[in-house]
Amino acid sequence: MIRVPVLAISSLLLLSAVLACSTGGVSLRADGSPGPEECPKETLKLMRFLRMGIGDAADVELDLNQADTSPITLYDGPIESELTSSLGIFHPPTRLYGRVWTGGPQVVIRYYEARPPDGDITPICAVARLARGQMKKLPGSLPGTAIVEFSSAGVWVVDSFR
């Protein structure tokens, strides 16, 4: 009889872990876009040390597999992008690693790590943005995907994700 509750608890823990991994541990809004998320305090300290101020910006190629293409298709999940201009101490072709959410009306990309070509992975908090609603999904975007007009965007340093 002990096995049934243990099995049930184990199943619930496994389900919780799977759900947390599928959303990156971020709560989702009703439209499928990610909810607020704090930037870890240690990451904020490190960004200050690296002279990366909140609001500092650079240019980024969103998906290296679709560079200089228009339009591109982004998928829910991990993304590898590349700086095309400098962001603090990070210079092109530093890679940015993050996550894409396509559930809402606009694509949301949050970056959590930077890796210069000759360096180690460094935690960061940054977001991809384009003005005038240009991160909106184009018609024809299937569930779990987003077709967007441009392959490049701006990336901004943030102190939290909203």
Side-chain angles (χ1 to χ4, degrees):
M1 291 220 192
I2 295 175
R3 288 184 179 200
V4 173
V6 169
L7 183 59
I9 291 171
S10 297
S11 296
L12 285 174
L13 289 173
L14 181 59
L15 178 62
S16 298
V18 167
L19 290 175
C21 288
S22 67
T23 63
V26 176
S27 63
L28 298 179
R29 294 184 171 106
D31 68 359
S33 62
E37 179 183 10
E38 293 298 317
C39 183
K41 288 181 180 167
E42 291 303 314
T43 300
L44 291 171
K45 286 180 190 176
L46 179 59
M47 289 191 311
R48 275 193 300 275
F49 177 77
L50 297 175
R51 305 245 185 258
M52 294 176 66
I54 306 310
D56 286 356
D59 297 316
V60 66
E61 191 66 41
L62 292 172
D63 182 349
L64 292 179
N65 295 317
Q66 302 178 75
D68 297 323
T69 304
S70 179
I72 66 168
T73 302
L74 298 173
Y75 300 89
D76 278 328
I79 190 166
E80 179 183 27
S81 302
E82 181 179 84
L83 285 178
T84 56
S85 64
S86 295
L87 181 63
I89 66 162
F90 300 112
H91 305 289
T94 294
R95 302 294 169 92
L96 300 180
Y97 299 99
R99 189 168 194 312
V100 176
W101 287 267
T102 64
Q106 295 198 66
V107 176
V108 175
I109 303 174
R110 295 178 178 176
Y111 294 108
Y112 301 101
E113 298 174 334
R115 182 178 204 160
D118 58 351
D120 295 324
I121 289 179
T122 303
I124 63 167
C125 291
V127 296
R129 291 186 179 137
L130 278 172
R132 299 183 197 116
Q134 293 175 346
M135 291 290 280
K136 284 187 180 178
K137 298 188 299 188
L138 295 176
S141 298
L142 299 173
T145 70
I147 300 170
V148 294
E149 188 172 353
F150 301 105
S151 67
S152 59
V155 60
W156 273 263
V157 175
V158 297
D159 59 356
S160 67
F161 301 102
R162 293 175 178 84

